[in-house]
Amino acid sequence: MIYLIGLWESVREFIATGGDVLYFVAAALFLMWMLMIERYWYLKTVFPKVKKTIIRNWDDRTDTTSWYAHRIRETWISQASDDLDARMLIIRTLVAMCPLIGLLGTVTGMITVFETMATQGTSNARLMAAGISMATIPTMAGMVAALSGLFISSRLEAKVKMAKEGLVDSLPHH
């Protein structure tokens, strides 16, 4: 319990040092990771059942060679592909947004530095350092969030692509 309290205090100090923009970075990071976890869960648990059902339905068909049968096959593949691609665009967008949110923190931190310089002059280095921290910490946080999301989302996209190709290969058309 003491460890959690210490961890919470560290996070609060980090956010106080980096400014309120870190809440937006944290929200984007949380949403991005929840969506990536959901996509992994879908790929590992739901999609295999969907694939098995599609393959069984295709194998149960007596006609797999006609134009109509090929349209049915394409429709099933298209629907499964759409389900696999669901939320991938949102994940990519959140990955791209994290550094931009961090840059917003940079701008607001630099505004704080300039306000300090305008009101206190350049002699108070301690006040200027607080603004510089508010400028650099959100940038770092946004970059770290984007890098973690970029790595995982790339692997996720590769798994989605392999799942699509596996489905297409499992439905032979004669």
Side-chain angles (χ1 to χ4, degrees), residues 48-120:
K49 296 173 189 171
V50 170
K51 181 179 175 181
K52 192 180 291 186
T53 301
I54 292 171
I55 292 169
R56 185 178 56 246
N57 288 345
W58 182 251
D59 290 341
D60 289 347
R61 291 187 55 84
T62 55
D63 172 27
T64 59
T65 58
S66 71
W67 179 88
Y68 183 72
H70 287 273
R71 298 301 79 76
I72 290 173
R73 177 182 178 273
E74 288 173 10
T75 300
W76 289 344
I77 291 171
S78 178
Q79 288 171 345
S81 292
D82 286 348
D83 291 343
L84 283 167
D85 284 333
R87 289 172 284 296
M88 290 303 295
L89 180 61
I90 296 171
I91 292 169
R92 284 192 301 270
T93 302
L94 287 168
V95 167
M97 278 179 49
C98 283
L100 298 176
I101 297 170
L103 286 174
L104 176 63
T106 301
V107 171
T108 57
M110 291 311 295
I111 289 171
T112 302
V113 170
F114 293 136
E115 284 177 350
T116 301
M117 289 172 62
T119 59
Q120 306 291 323

